[in-house]
PDB file of all heavy atoms in Angstrom:
ATOM      1  N   TYR A  96      -9.663  37.636 -29.699  1.00  0.00           N
ATOM      2  CA  TYR A  96     -10.461  38.454 -28.789  1.00  0.00           C
ATOM      3  C   TYR A  96      -9.554  39.215 -27.818  1.00  0.00           C
ATOM      4  O   TYR A  96      -8.677  38.618 -27.181  1.00  0.00           O
ATOM      5  CB  TYR A  96     -11.402  37.528 -28.009  1.00  0.00           C
ATOM      6  CG  TYR A  96     -12.384  38.234 -27.147  1.00  0.00           C
ATOM      7  CD1 TYR A  96     -13.543  38.766 -27.697  1.00  0.00           C
ATOM      8  CD2 TYR A  96     -12.151  38.393 -25.794  1.00  0.00           C
ATOM      9  CE1 TYR A  96     -14.444  39.439 -26.897  1.00  0.00           C
ATOM     10  CE2 TYR A  96     -13.050  39.059 -24.996  1.00  0.00           C
ATOM     11  CZ  TYR A  96     -14.191  39.573 -25.562  1.00  0.00           C
ATOM     12  OH  TYR A  96     -15.079  40.237 -24.771  1.00  0.00           O
ATOM     13  N   LYS A  97      -9.765  40.516 -27.683  1.00  0.00           N
ATOM     14  CA  LYS A  97      -8.920  41.303 -26.770  1.00  0.00           C
ATOM     15  C   LYS A  97      -9.457  41.194 -25.352  1.00  0.00           C
ATOM     16  O   LYS A  97     -10.661  41.329 -25.139  1.00  0.00           O
ATOM     17  CB  LYS A  97      -8.924  42.776 -27.187  1.00  0.00           C
ATOM     18  CG  LYS A  97      -7.980  43.056 -28.316  1.00  0.00           C
ATOM     19  CD  LYS A  97      -7.755  44.540 -28.476  1.00  0.00           C
ATOM     20  CE  LYS A  97      -6.965  44.774 -29.751  1.00  0.00           C
ATOM     21  NZ  LYS A  97      -7.092  46.135 -30.245  1.00  0.00           N
ATOM     22  N   GLY A  98      -8.570  40.975 -24.388  1.00  0.00           N
ATOM     23  CA  GLY A  98      -8.995  40.953 -22.978  1.00  0.00           C
ATOM     24  C   GLY A  98      -9.407  39.585 -22.494  1.00  0.00           C
ATOM     25  O   GLY A  98     -10.257  39.466 -21.618  1.00  0.00           O
ATOM     26  N   LYS A  99      -8.781  38.540 -23.065  1.00  0.00           N
ATOM     27  CA  LYS A  99      -9.080  37.174 -22.615  1.00  0.00           C
ATOM     28  C   LYS A  99      -8.469  36.925 -21.242  1.00  0.00           C
ATOM     29  O   LYS A  99      -7.385  37.407 -20.958  1.00  0.00           O
ATOM     30  CB  LYS A  99      -8.401  36.158 -23.554  1.00  0.00           C
ATOM     31  CG  LYS A  99      -9.119  35.852 -24.826  1.00  0.00           C
ATOM     32  CD  LYS A  99      -8.349  34.796 -25.617  1.00  0.00           C
ATOM     33  CE  LYS A  99      -8.936  34.624 -26.996  1.00  0.00           C
ATOM     34  NZ  LYS A  99      -8.202  33.709 -27.836  1.00  0.00           N
ATOM     35  N   PHE A 100      -9.126  36.100 -20.451  1.00  0.00           N
ATOM     36  CA  PHE A 100      -8.541  35.591 -19.207  1.00  0.00           C
ATOM     37  C   PHE A 100      -7.336  34.724 -19.519  1.00  0.00           C
ATOM     38  O   PHE A 100      -7.269  34.091 -20.577  1.00  0.00           O
ATOM     39  CB  PHE A 100      -9.520  34.619 -18.550  1.00  0.00           C
ATOM     40  CG  PHE A 100     -10.545  35.197 -17.649  1.00  0.00           C
ATOM     41  CD1 PHE A 100     -11.791  34.587 -17.568  1.00  0.00           C
ATOM     42  CD2 PHE A 100     -10.290  36.270 -16.834  1.00  0.00           C
ATOM     43  CE1 PHE A 100     -12.765  35.043 -16.713  1.00  0.00           C
ATOM     44  CE2 PHE A 100     -11.258  36.734 -15.966  1.00  0.00           C
ATOM     45  CZ  PHE A 100     -12.491  36.126 -15.907  1.00  0.00           C
ATOM     46  N   HIS A 101      -6.453  34.591 -18.550  1.00  0.00           N
ATOM     47  CA  HIS A 101      -5.377  33.620 -18.625  1.00  0.00           C
ATOM     48  C   HIS A 101      -5.966  32.284 -18.129  1.00  0.00           C
ATOM     49  O   HIS A 101      -6.366  32.190 -16.961  1.00  0.00           O
ATOM     50  CB  HIS A 101      -4.245  34.101 -17.694  1.00  0.00           C
ATOM     51  CG  HIS A 101      -2.929  33.554 -18.057  1.00  0.00           C
ATOM     52  ND1 HIS A 101      -2.639  32.223 -17.936  1.00  0.00           N
ATOM     53  CD2 HIS A 101      -1.813  34.140 -18.543  1.00  0.00           C
ATOM     54  CE1 HIS A 101      -1.398  32.024 -18.331  1.00  0.00           C
ATOM     55  NE2 HIS A 101      -0.879  33.165 -18.711  1.00  0.00           N
ATOM     56  N   ASP A 122     -20.615  32.658 -15.465  1.00  0.00           N
ATOM     57  CA  ASP A 122     -19.833  33.829 -15.888  1.00  0.00           C
ATOM     58  C   ASP A 122     -20.768  34.741 -16.684  1.00  0.00           C
ATOM     59  O   ASP A 122     -21.124  34.435 -17.825  1.00  0.00           O
ATOM     60  CB  ASP A 122     -18.628  33.398 -16.732  1.00  0.00           C
ATOM     61  CG  ASP A 122     -17.735  34.592 -17.089  1.00  0.00           C
ATOM     62  OD1 ASP A 122     -18.212  35.740 -16.992  1.00  0.00           O
ATOM     63  OD2 ASP A 122     -16.576  34.373 -17.476  1.00  0.00           O
ATOM     64  N   PRO A 123     -21.214  35.857 -16.065  1.00  0.00           N
ATOM     65  CA  PRO A 123     -22.174  36.739 -16.745  1.00  0.00           C
ATOM     66  C   PRO A 123     -21.567  37.588 -17.862  1.00  0.00           C
ATOM     67  O   PRO A 123     -22.308  38.242 -18.589  1.00  0.00           O
ATOM     68  CB  PRO A 123     -22.675  37.637 -15.612  1.00  0.00           C
ATOM     69  CG  PRO A 123     -21.611  37.604 -14.577  1.00  0.00           C
ATOM     70  CD  PRO A 123     -20.899  36.300 -14.694  1.00  0.00           C
ATOM     71  N   PHE A 124     -20.228  37.584 -17.972  1.00  0.00           N
ATOM     72  CA  PHE A 124     -19.551  38.309 -19.063  1.00  0.00           C
ATOM     73  C   PHE A 124     -18.571  37.329 -19.703  1.00  0.00           C
ATOM     74  O   PHE A 124     -17.362  37.458 -19.549  1.00  0.00           O
ATOM     75  CB  PHE A 124     -18.814  39.542 -18.505  1.00  0.00           C
ATOM     76  CG  PHE A 124     -19.706  40.494 -17.758  1.00  0.00           C
ATOM     77  CD1 PHE A 124     -19.731  40.534 -16.374  1.00  0.00           C
ATOM     78  CD2 PHE A 124     -20.536  41.362 -18.463  1.00  0.00           C
ATOM     79  CE1 PHE A 124     -20.561  41.411 -15.694  1.00  0.00           C
ATOM     80  CE2 PHE A 124     -21.373  42.251 -17.787  1.00  0.00           C
ATOM     81  CZ  PHE A 124     -21.381  42.275 -16.399  1.00  0.00           C
ATOM     82  N   ILE A 125     -19.122  36.354 -20.422  1.00  0.00           N
ATOM     83  CA  ILE A 125     -18.324  35.184 -20.811  1.00  0.00           C
ATOM     84  C   ILE A 125     -17.247  35.512 -21.853  1.00  0.00           C
ATOM     85  O   ILE A 125     -16.246  34.802 -21.957  1.00  0.00           O
ATOM     86  CB  ILE A 125     -19.254  34.036 -21.301  1.00  0.00           C
ATOM     87  CG1 ILE A 125     -18.499  32.695 -21.378  1.00  0.00           C
ATOM     88  CG2 ILE A 125     -19.896  34.331 -22.629  1.00  0.00           C
ATOM     89  CD1 ILE A 125     -18.265  32.029 -20.070  1.00  0.00           C
ATOM     90  N   GLY A 126     -17.417  36.601 -22.616  1.00  0.00           N
ATOM     91  CA  GLY A 126     -16.397  37.002 -23.597  1.00  0.00           C
ATOM     92  C   GLY A 126     -16.083  35.875 -24.559  1.00  0.00           C
ATOM     93  O   GLY A 126     -16.976  35.278 -25.169  1.00  0.00           O
ATOM     94  N   SER A 127     -14.794  35.511 -24.642  1.00  0.00           N
ATOM     95  CA  SER A 127     -14.397  34.477 -25.599  1.00  0.00           C
ATOM     96  C   SER A 127     -14.508  33.067 -25.017  1.00  0.00           C
ATOM     97  O   SER A 127     -14.058  32.107 -25.641  1.00  0.00           O
ATOM     98  CB  SER A 127     -12.965  34.741 -26.049  1.00  0.00           C
ATOM     99  OG  SER A 127     -12.113  34.620 -24.935  1.00  0.00           O
ATOM    100  N   GLY A 128     -15.056  32.937 -23.811  1.00  0.00           N
ATOM    101  CA  GLY A 128     -15.378  31.605 -23.287  1.00  0.00           C
ATOM    102  C   GLY A 128     -14.263  30.914 -22.511  1.00  0.00           C
ATOM    103  O   GLY A 128     -14.323  29.695 -22.303  1.00  0.00           O
ATOM    104  N   THR A 129     -13.278  31.673 -22.026  1.00  0.00           N
ATOM    105  CA  THR A 129     -12.156  31.043 -21.305  1.00  0.00           C
ATOM    106  C   THR A 129     -12.642  30.263 -20.075  1.00  0.00           C
ATOM    107  O   THR A 129     -12.243  29.119 -19.859  1.00  0.00           O
ATOM    108  CB  THR A 129     -11.130  32.114 -20.850  1.00  0.00           C
ATOM    109  OG1 THR A 129     -10.900  32.998 -21.933  1.00  0.00           O
ATOM    110  CG2 THR A 129      -9.846  31.487 -20.394  1.00  0.00           C
ATOM    111  N   SER A 130     -13.504  30.909 -19.272  1.00  0.00           N
ATOM    112  CA  SER A 130     -13.942  30.232 -18.044  1.00  0.00           C
ATOM    113  C   SER A 130     -14.780  28.997 -18.381  1.00  0.00           C
ATOM    114  O   SER A 130     -14.718  27.986 -17.671  1.00  0.00           O
ATOM    115  CB  SER A 130     -14.723  31.181 -17.136  1.00  0.00           C
ATOM    116  OG  SER A 130     -15.702  31.846 -17.874  1.00  0.00           O
ATOM    117  N   VAL A 144     -23.017  34.052 -20.093  1.00  0.00           N
ATOM    118  CA  VAL A 144     -23.901  35.037 -20.725  1.00  0.00           C
ATOM    119  C   VAL A 144     -23.031  36.121 -21.339  1.00  0.00           C
ATOM    120  O   VAL A 144     -22.007  36.497 -20.769  1.00  0.00           O
ATOM    121  CB  VAL A 144     -24.855  35.644 -19.653  1.00  0.00           C
ATOM    122  CG1 VAL A 144     -25.451  36.966 -20.095  1.00  0.00           C
ATOM    123  CG2 VAL A 144     -25.965  34.659 -19.302  1.00  0.00           C
ATOM    124  N   ASP A 145     -23.398  36.607 -22.517  1.00  0.00           N
ATOM    125  CA  ASP A 145     -22.723  37.786 -23.080  1.00  0.00           C
ATOM    126  C   ASP A 145     -23.689  38.502 -24.016  1.00  0.00           C
ATOM    127  O   ASP A 145     -24.470  37.875 -24.724  1.00  0.00           O
ATOM    128  CB  ASP A 145     -21.445  37.410 -23.834  1.00  0.00           C
ATOM    129  CG  ASP A 145     -20.455  38.580 -23.863  1.00  0.00           C
ATOM    130  OD1 ASP A 145     -20.724  39.571 -24.587  1.00  0.00           O
ATOM    131  OD2 ASP A 145     -19.434  38.522 -23.165  1.00  0.00           O
ATOM    132  N   ILE A 146     -23.615  39.817 -23.987  1.00  0.00           N
ATOM    133  CA  ILE A 146     -24.489  40.639 -24.820  1.00  0.00           C
ATOM    134  C   ILE A 146     -24.066  40.583 -26.285  1.00  0.00           C
ATOM    135  O   ILE A 146     -24.854  40.889 -27.178  1.00  0.00           O
ATOM    136  CB  ILE A 146     -24.484  42.108 -24.309  1.00  0.00           C
ATOM    137  CG1 ILE A 146     -25.673  42.900 -24.827  1.00  0.00           C
ATOM    138  CG2 ILE A 146     -23.184  42.811 -24.631  1.00  0.00           C
ATOM    139  CD1 ILE A 146     -26.967  42.565 -24.190  1.00  0.00           C
ATOM    140  N   SER A 147     -22.805  40.172 -26.522  1.00  0.00           N
ATOM    141  CA  SER A 147     -22.282  40.163 -27.884  1.00  0.00           C
ATOM    142  C   SER A 147     -22.544  38.816 -28.558  1.00  0.00           C
ATOM    143  O   SER A 147     -22.184  37.755 -28.014  1.00  0.00           O
ATOM    144  CB  SER A 147     -20.775  40.427 -27.845  1.00  0.00           C
ATOM    145  OG  SER A 147     -20.192  40.025 -29.045  1.00  0.00           O
ATOM    146  N   CYS A 150     -19.372  36.852 -29.073  1.00  0.00           N
ATOM    147  CA  CYS A 150     -18.919  36.082 -27.908  1.00  0.00           C
ATOM    148  C   CYS A 150     -19.752  34.817 -27.721  1.00  0.00           C
ATOM    149  O   CYS A 150     -19.223  33.759 -27.373  1.00  0.00           O
ATOM    150  CB  CYS A 150     -18.976  36.944 -26.654  1.00  0.00           C
ATOM    151  SG  CYS A 150     -17.820  38.308 -26.749  1.00  0.00           S
ATOM    152  N   LYS A 157     -16.060  26.912 -29.213  1.00  0.00           N
ATOM    153  CA  LYS A 157     -14.880  26.388 -28.512  1.00  0.00           C
ATOM    154  C   LYS A 157     -15.218  25.182 -27.642  1.00  0.00           C
ATOM    155  O   LYS A 157     -14.379  24.323 -27.420  1.00  0.00           O
ATOM    156  CB  LYS A 157     -14.328  27.468 -27.564  1.00  0.00           C
ATOM    157  CG  LYS A 157     -13.457  28.484 -28.215  1.00  0.00           C
ATOM    158  CD  LYS A 157     -12.961  29.433 -27.138  1.00  0.00           C
ATOM    159  CE  LYS A 157     -12.106  30.499 -27.736  1.00  0.00           C
ATOM    160  NZ  LYS A 157     -11.638  31.446 -26.723  1.00  0.00           N
ATOM    161  N   LYS A 262     -27.355  37.117 -23.937  1.00  0.00           N
ATOM    162  CA  LYS A 262     -28.304  37.880 -23.110  1.00  0.00           C
ATOM    163  C   LYS A 262     -27.594  39.011 -22.378  1.00  0.00           C
ATOM    164  O   LYS A 262     -26.372  39.124 -22.420  1.00  0.00           O
ATOM    165  CB  LYS A 262     -28.919  36.950 -22.059  1.00  0.00           C
ATOM    166  CG  LYS A 262     -29.734  35.810 -22.629  1.00  0.00           C
ATOM    167  CD  LYS A 262     -31.179  36.182 -22.717  1.00  0.00           C
ATOM    168  CE  LYS A 262     -31.974  35.016 -23.288  1.00  0.00           C
ATOM    169  NZ  LYS A 262     -33.249  35.310 -23.753  1.00  0.00           N
ATOM    170  N   ASP A 263     -28.381  39.767 -21.635  1.00  0.00           N
ATOM    171  CA  ASP A 263     -27.880  40.920 -20.892  1.00  0.00           C
ATOM    172  C   ASP A 263     -27.660  40.542 -19.422  1.00  0.00           C
ATOM    173  O   ASP A 263     -28.578  40.042 -18.763  1.00  0.00           O
ATOM    174  CB  ASP A 263     -28.943  42.041 -20.994  1.00  0.00           C
ATOM    175  CG  ASP A 263     -28.403  43.376 -20.550  1.00  0.00           C
ATOM    176  OD1 ASP A 263     -27.554  43.407 -19.646  1.00  0.00           O
ATOM    177  OD2 ASP A 263     -28.849  44.396 -21.105  1.00  0.00           O
ATOM    178  N   ALA A 264     -26.452  40.813 -18.914  1.00  0.00           N
ATOM    179  CA  ALA A 264     -26.124  40.455 -17.520  1.00  0.00           C
ATOM    180  C   ALA A 264     -26.932  41.268 -16.511  1.00  0.00           C
ATOM    181  O   ALA A 264     -26.974  40.929 -15.327  1.00  0.00           O
ATOM    182  CB  ALA A 264     -24.636  40.664 -17.271  1.00  0.00           C
ATOM    183  N   ARG A 265     -27.564  42.354 -16.966  1.00  0.00           N
ATOM    184  CA  ARG A 265     -28.340  43.181 -16.031  1.00  0.00           C
ATOM    185  C   ARG A 265     -29.729  42.614 -15.775  1.00  0.00           C
ATOM    186  O   ARG A 265     -30.433  43.053 -14.879  1.00  0.00           O
ATOM    187  CB  ARG A 265     -28.448  44.615 -16.569  1.00  0.00           C
ATOM    188  CG  ARG A 265     -27.119  45.332 -16.623  1.00  0.00           C
ATOM    189  CD  ARG A 265     -27.190  46.581 -17.451  1.00  0.00           C
ATOM    190  NE  ARG A 265     -27.530  46.290 -18.843  1.00  0.00           N
ATOM    191  CZ  ARG A 265     -27.635  47.197 -19.801  1.00  0.00           C
ATOM    192  NH1 ARG A 265     -27.434  48.464 -19.517  1.00  0.00           N
ATOM    193  NH2 ARG A 265     -27.937  46.852 -21.045  1.00  0.00           N
ATOM    194  N   THR A 279     -15.729  35.902 -13.124  1.00  0.00           N
ATOM    195  CA  THR A 279     -15.964  36.759 -14.286  1.00  0.00           C
ATOM    196  C   THR A 279     -15.016  37.949 -14.342  1.00  0.00           C
ATOM    197  O   THR A 279     -14.420  38.317 -13.323  1.00  0.00           O
ATOM    198  CB  THR A 279     -17.434  37.268 -14.282  1.00  0.00           C
ATOM    199  OG1 THR A 279     -17.759  37.759 -15.569  1.00  0.00           O
ATOM    200  CG2 THR A 279     -17.688  38.355 -13.241  1.00  0.00           C
ATOM    201  N   SER A 280     -14.859  38.502 -15.545  1.00  0.00           N
ATOM    202  CA  SER A 280     -14.230  39.826 -15.648  1.00  0.00           C
ATOM    203  C   SER A 280     -15.196  40.719 -16.407  1.00  0.00           C
ATOM    204  O   SER A 280     -15.494  40.497 -17.581  1.00  0.00           O
ATOM    205  CB  SER A 280     -12.870  39.767 -16.342  1.00  0.00           C
ATOM    206  OG  SER A 280     -12.989  39.281 -17.632  1.00  0.00           O
ATOM    207  N   PRO A 281     -15.742  41.721 -15.719  1.00  0.00           N
ATOM    208  CA  PRO A 281     -16.717  42.602 -16.352  1.00  0.00           C
ATOM    209  C   PRO A 281     -16.040  43.485 -17.388  1.00  0.00           C
ATOM    210  O   PRO A 281     -14.812  43.573 -17.415  1.00  0.00           O
ATOM    211  CB  PRO A 281     -17.219  43.461 -15.189  1.00  0.00           C
ATOM    212  CG  PRO A 281     -16.676  42.876 -13.949  1.00  0.00           C
ATOM    213  CD  PRO A 281     -15.485  42.080 -14.322  1.00  0.00           C
ATOM    214  N   PRO A 282     -16.834  44.149 -18.228  1.00  0.00           N
ATOM    215  CA  PRO A 282     -16.239  45.093 -19.171  1.00  0.00           C
ATOM    216  C   PRO A 282     -15.384  46.087 -18.389  1.00  0.00           C
ATOM    217  O   PRO A 282     -15.793  46.532 -17.312  1.00  0.00           O
ATOM    218  CB  PRO A 282     -17.445  45.796 -19.783  1.00  0.00           C
ATOM    219  CG  PRO A 282     -18.624  44.968 -19.458  1.00  0.00           C
ATOM    220  CD  PRO A 282     -18.301  44.155 -18.267  1.00  0.00           C
ATOM    221  N   TYR A 283     -14.212  46.412 -18.948  1.00  0.00           N
ATOM    222  CA  TYR A 283     -13.276  47.262 -18.213  1.00  0.00           C
ATOM    223  C   TYR A 283     -13.592  48.729 -18.400  1.00  0.00           C
ATOM    224  O   TYR A 283     -12.788  49.476 -18.953  1.00  0.00           O
ATOM    225  CB  TYR A 283     -11.842  46.972 -18.650  1.00  0.00           C
ATOM    226  CG  TYR A 283     -11.312  45.690 -18.075  1.00  0.00           C
ATOM    227  CD1 TYR A 283     -10.082  45.195 -18.436  1.00  0.00           C
ATOM    228  CD2 TYR A 283     -12.062  44.961 -17.160  1.00  0.00           C
ATOM    229  CE1 TYR A 283      -9.599  44.005 -17.909  1.00  0.00           C
ATOM    230  CE2 TYR A 283     -11.593  43.776 -16.634  1.00  0.00           C
ATOM    231  CZ  TYR A 283     -10.372  43.308 -17.013  1.00  0.00           C
ATOM    232  OH  TYR A 283      -9.904  42.138 -16.499  1.00  0.00           O
ATOM    233  N   LEU A 287     -11.504  49.319 -22.579  1.00  0.00           N
ATOM    234  CA  LEU A 287     -11.604  48.546 -23.821  1.00  0.00           C
ATOM    235  C   LEU A 287     -12.983  48.762 -24.409  1.00  0.00           C
ATOM    236  O   LEU A 287     -13.980  48.584 -23.716  1.00  0.00           O
ATOM    237  CB  LEU A 287     -11.449  47.053 -23.524  1.00  0.00           C
ATOM    238  CG  LEU A 287     -10.074  46.401 -23.631  1.00  0.00           C
ATOM    239  CD1 LEU A 287     -10.189  44.915 -23.356  1.00  0.00           C
ATOM    240  CD2 LEU A 287      -9.465  46.612 -25.009  1.00  0.00           C
ATOM    241  N   TYR A 289     -15.497  47.177 -26.514  1.00  0.00           N
ATOM    242  CA  TYR A 289     -15.773  45.864 -27.109  1.00  0.00           C
ATOM    243  C   TYR A 289     -16.543  45.973 -28.422  1.00  0.00           C
ATOM    244  O   TYR A 289     -16.445  45.096 -29.269  1.00  0.00           O
ATOM    245  CB  TYR A 289     -16.534  44.973 -26.117  1.00  0.00           C
ATOM    246  CG  TYR A 289     -15.694  44.671 -24.909  1.00  0.00           C
ATOM    247  CD1 TYR A 289     -15.816  45.445 -23.769  1.00  0.00           C
ATOM    248  CD2 TYR A 289     -14.739  43.677 -24.945  1.00  0.00           C
ATOM    249  CE1 TYR A 289     -15.010  45.219 -22.675  1.00  0.00           C
ATOM    250  CE2 TYR A 289     -13.925  43.444 -23.854  1.00  0.00           C
ATOM    251  CZ  TYR A 289     -14.068  44.218 -22.727  1.00  0.00           C
ATOM    252  OH  TYR A 289     -13.258  44.006 -21.647  1.00  0.00           O
ATOM    253  N   ASP A 310     -26.585  48.585 -25.536  1.00  0.00           N
ATOM    254  CA  ASP A 310     -26.689  47.442 -24.631  1.00  0.00           C
ATOM    255  C   ASP A 310     -25.362  47.054 -23.993  1.00  0.00           C
ATOM    256  O   ASP A 310     -25.332  46.359 -22.978  1.00  0.00           O
ATOM    257  CB  ASP A 310     -27.227  46.222 -25.395  1.00  0.00           C
ATOM    258  CG  ASP A 310     -28.632  46.469 -25.917  1.00  0.00           C
ATOM    259  OD1 ASP A 310     -29.364  47.206 -25.229  1.00  0.00           O
ATOM    260  OD2 ASP A 310     -28.964  45.947 -26.989  1.00  0.00           O
ATOM    261  N   PHE A 311     -24.251  47.463 -24.605  1.00  0.00           N
ATOM    262  CA  PHE A 311     -22.929  47.088 -24.077  1.00  0.00           C
ATOM    263  C   PHE A 311     -22.562  47.987 -22.896  1.00  0.00           C
ATOM    264  O   PHE A 311     -22.564  49.211 -23.028  1.00  0.00           O
ATOM    265  CB  PHE A 311     -21.851  47.250 -25.163  1.00  0.00           C
ATOM    266  CG  PHE A 311     -21.718  46.069 -26.081  1.00  0.00           C
ATOM    267  CD1 PHE A 311     -22.734  45.737 -26.957  1.00  0.00           C
ATOM    268  CD2 PHE A 311     -20.559  45.305 -26.087  1.00  0.00           C
ATOM    269  CE1 PHE A 311     -22.615  44.652 -27.820  1.00  0.00           C
ATOM    270  CE2 PHE A 311     -20.430  44.227 -26.947  1.00  0.00           C
ATOM    271  CZ  PHE A 311     -21.451  43.900 -27.808  1.00  0.00           C
ATOM    272  N   ILE A 312     -22.213  47.376 -21.778  1.00  0.00           N
ATOM    273  CA  ILE A 312     -21.821  48.158 -20.599  1.00  0.00           C
ATOM    274  C   ILE A 312     -20.465  48.817 -20.857  1.00  0.00           C
ATOM    275  O   ILE A 312     -19.546  48.178 -21.377  1.00  0.00           O
ATOM    276  CB  ILE A 312     -21.759  47.258 -19.341  1.00  0.00           C
ATOM    277  CG1 ILE A 312     -23.161  46.714 -19.022  1.00  0.00           C
ATOM    278  CG2 ILE A 312     -21.191  48.016 -18.142  1.00  0.00           C
ATOM    279  CD1 ILE A 312     -23.227  45.729 -17.893  1.00  0.00           C
ATOM    280  N   GLY A 313     -20.363  50.101 -20.491  1.00  0.00           N
ATOM    281  CA  GLY A 313     -19.080  50.805 -20.613  1.00  0.00           C
ATOM    282  C   GLY A 313     -18.877  51.502 -21.938  1.00  0.00           C
ATOM    283  O   GLY A 313     -17.815  52.059 -22.182  1.00  0.00           O
TER     284      GLY A 313
HETATM  285  C1  SAM B   1     -13.598  41.617 -20.025  1.00  0.00           C
HETATM  286  S1  SAM B   1     -14.662  40.939 -21.244  1.00  0.00           S
HETATM  287  C2  SAM B   1     -14.730  39.253 -20.727  1.00  0.00           C
HETATM  288  C3  SAM B   1     -13.547  38.460 -21.226  1.00  0.00           C
HETATM  289  C4  SAM B   1     -13.552  37.009 -20.800  1.00  0.00           C
HETATM  290  N1  SAM B   1     -13.232  36.874 -19.404  1.00  0.00           N
HETATM  291  C5  SAM B   1     -12.594  36.173 -21.656  1.00  0.00           C
HETATM  292  O1  SAM B   1     -11.756  35.433 -21.111  1.00  0.00           O
HETATM  293  O2  SAM B   1     -12.683  36.245 -22.885  1.00  0.00           O
HETATM  294  C6  SAM B   1     -16.239  41.596 -20.848  1.00  0.00           C
HETATM  295  C7  SAM B   1     -17.412  41.129 -21.714  1.00  0.00           C
HETATM  296  O3  SAM B   1     -18.612  41.764 -21.243  1.00  0.00           O
HETATM  297  C8  SAM B   1     -19.521  41.794 -22.340  1.00  0.00           C
HETATM  298  N2  SAM B   1     -20.645  42.702 -22.031  1.00  0.00           N
HETATM  299  C9  SAM B   1     -20.723  44.050 -22.146  1.00  0.00           C
HETATM  300  N3  SAM B   1     -21.936  44.491 -21.766  1.00  0.00           N
HETATM  301  C10 SAM B   1     -22.659  43.396 -21.392  1.00  0.00           C
HETATM  302  C11 SAM B   1     -23.982  43.189 -20.891  1.00  0.00           C
HETATM  303  N4  SAM B   1     -24.833  44.207 -20.749  1.00  0.00           N
HETATM  304  N5  SAM B   1     -24.367  41.926 -20.583  1.00  0.00           N
HETATM  305  C12 SAM B   1     -23.530  40.865 -20.769  1.00  0.00           C
HETATM  306  N6  SAM B   1     -22.280  40.991 -21.278  1.00  0.00           N
HETATM  307  C13 SAM B   1     -21.833  42.246 -21.567  1.00  0.00           C
HETATM  308  C14 SAM B   1     -18.651  42.217 -23.500  1.00  0.00           C
HETATM  309  O4  SAM B   1     -19.234  41.801 -24.722  1.00  0.00           O
HETATM  310  C15 SAM B   1     -17.338  41.455 -23.197  1.00  0.00           C
HETATM  311  O5  SAM B   1     -17.320  40.248 -23.910  1.00  0.00           O
END
Side-chain angles (χ1 to χ4, degrees):
Y96 186 80
K97 279 194 188 160
K99 278 182 189 176
F100 273 148
H101 203 293
D122 185 342
F124 303 102
I125 194 77
S127 64
T129 315
S130 49
V144 160
D145 205 288
I146 198 74
S147 162
C150 295
K157 278 182 181 179
K262 297 267 180 196
D263 194 327
R265 294 166 298 181
T279 197
S280 61
Y283 284 175
L287 266 183
Y289 296 95
D310 297 328
F311 276 67
I312 296 175

